[in-house]
């Protein structure tokens, strides 16, 4: 940090150069956790959504059970079960998996990924089911196979319809990531809690972190609005 900026920050008692860097570290952790969980959750959700639309109950039912379980229970409980439950698996502490899951970041990442994947699966499934029958019939008339129809027609069409609902899921995950601090992860909320316990200034610490969350939320809203305009630009009336 430049010396002049550090001197300016150190003019107050709470938001000094040290605490500002602590907030920055928490911001980086929050962004990493949310970004990775959303990417992994989306990768998992797309094939699960396709399976969820299958008419074969042996294929769709396991996906339904998974989505019902993770959408029907609180994310905090899921985080606790994974964080504390992994250590209870017999013999895991003697395997390489323990080197990964003994750090709180990875159980939190797993819990967030499974949770967002469940919600995203249902969002994409709804968009797939809403595909106009005419588009599917036209693809069949061209001789497209099921896989080709899914890749070229159904999934791209579903993506345009799902983007608005998915933006809400992204924002929800950003806000829900605040619970990561309960398993000792120093994210934005964890950084605010540290600063509060050090200076006994709850309003300053938590209002500051609330403003950061708001800034991130508005940035996401802007990005998804631009994305939605781009994906749905074909629906705009022609000029003149």
């Amino acid at each position: 940090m430049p010396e002049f900026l550090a001197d300016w920050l150190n003019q107050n008692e709470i938001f000094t150069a040290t605490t500002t860097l602590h907030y920055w570290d928490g911001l980086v952790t929050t962004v990493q956790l949310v970004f990775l969980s959303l990417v992994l959750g989306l990768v998992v959700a797309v094939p699960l959504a396709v399976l969820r639309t299958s008419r074969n109950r042996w294929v769709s039912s396991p996906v339904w059970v998974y989505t019902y379980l993770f959408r029907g229970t609180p994310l905090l409980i899921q985080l606790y079960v994974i964080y504390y439950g992994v250590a209870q698996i017999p013999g895991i502490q003697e395997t390489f998996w323990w080197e990964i899951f003994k750090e709180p970041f990875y159980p939190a990442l797993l819990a967030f990924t499974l949770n967002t994947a469940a919600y995203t699966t249902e969002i994409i499934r709804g968009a797939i089911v809403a595909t106009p029958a005419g588009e599917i019939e036209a693809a069949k008339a061209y001789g497209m196979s099921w896989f080709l129809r899914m890749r070229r027609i159904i999934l791209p069409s579903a993506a345009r319809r799902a983007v608005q609902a998915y933006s809400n899921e992204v924002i929800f995950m950003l806000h829900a990531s605040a619970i990561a601090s309960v398993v000792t992860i120093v994210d934005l909320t964890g950084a605010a809690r540290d600063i509060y316990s050090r200076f006994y200034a709850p309003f300053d610490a938590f209002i500051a972190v609330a403003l950061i969350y708001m800034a991130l939320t508005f940035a996401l809203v802007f990005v998804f609005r631009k994305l939605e305009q781009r994906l749905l630009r074909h629906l705009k009336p022609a000029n003149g």
Side-chain angles (χ1 to χ4, degrees), residues 13 16 36-37 60 62 79 81-82 128 149 153 216 223-224 230:
E13 295 182 354
T16 63
L36 290 175
S37 63
S60 61
L79 177 59
V81 168
I82 294 175
I128 291 175
R149 291 197 305 271
I153 305 297
L216 291 174
V223 169
F224 274 100
R230 181 177 179 83

Side-chain angles (χ1 to χ4, degrees), residues 19 21-33 104-105 108 177-195 209 213:
T19 57
L21 288 174
H22 197 46
Y23 272 124
W24 173 256
D25 292 339
L27 173 62
V28 171
T29 300
T30 294
V31 171
Q32 287 178 339
L33 186 59
F105 182 87
S177 68
I179 68 172
S181 61
V182 302
V183 291
T184 72
I185 294 177
V186 184
D187 61 342
L188 275 172
T189 305
R193 186 175 297 174
D194 290 345
I195 294 168
V209 83
Y213 276 115

Side-chain angles (χ1 to χ4, degrees), residues 109-123:
L109 177 61
L110 178 59
F112 289 174
T113 298
L114 293 175
N115 183 273
T116 190
Y119 282 93
T120 307
T121 295
E122 290 300 320
I123 290 171

Side-chain angles (χ1 to χ4, degrees), residues 63-145:
V63 182
W64 176 85
V65 171
Y66 160 68
T67 58
Y68 183 84
L69 176 65
F70 278 89
R71 292 193 305 145
T73 55
L75 177 56
L76 180 60
I77 302 301
Q78 298 166 19
L79 177 59
Y80 277 145
V81 168
I82 294 175
Y83 179 71
Y84 294 109
V86 168
Q88 306 302 319
I89 299 176
I92 193 172
Q93 298 188 21
E94 286 75 38
T95 66
F96 74 95
W97 288 108
W98 182 244
E99 295 300 319
I100 299 175
F101 282 99
K102 72 178 181 180
E103 299 294 333
F105 182 87
Y106 294 102
L109 177 61
L110 178 59
F112 289 174
T113 298
L114 293 175
N115 183 273
T116 190
Y119 282 93
T120 307
T121 295
E122 290 300 320
I123 290 171
I124 298 175
R125 182 200 69 84
I128 291 175
V129 171
T131 303
E135 293 183 9
I136 300 176
E137 292 300 325
K140 289 180 178 179
Y142 271 100
M144 292 185 182
S145 65

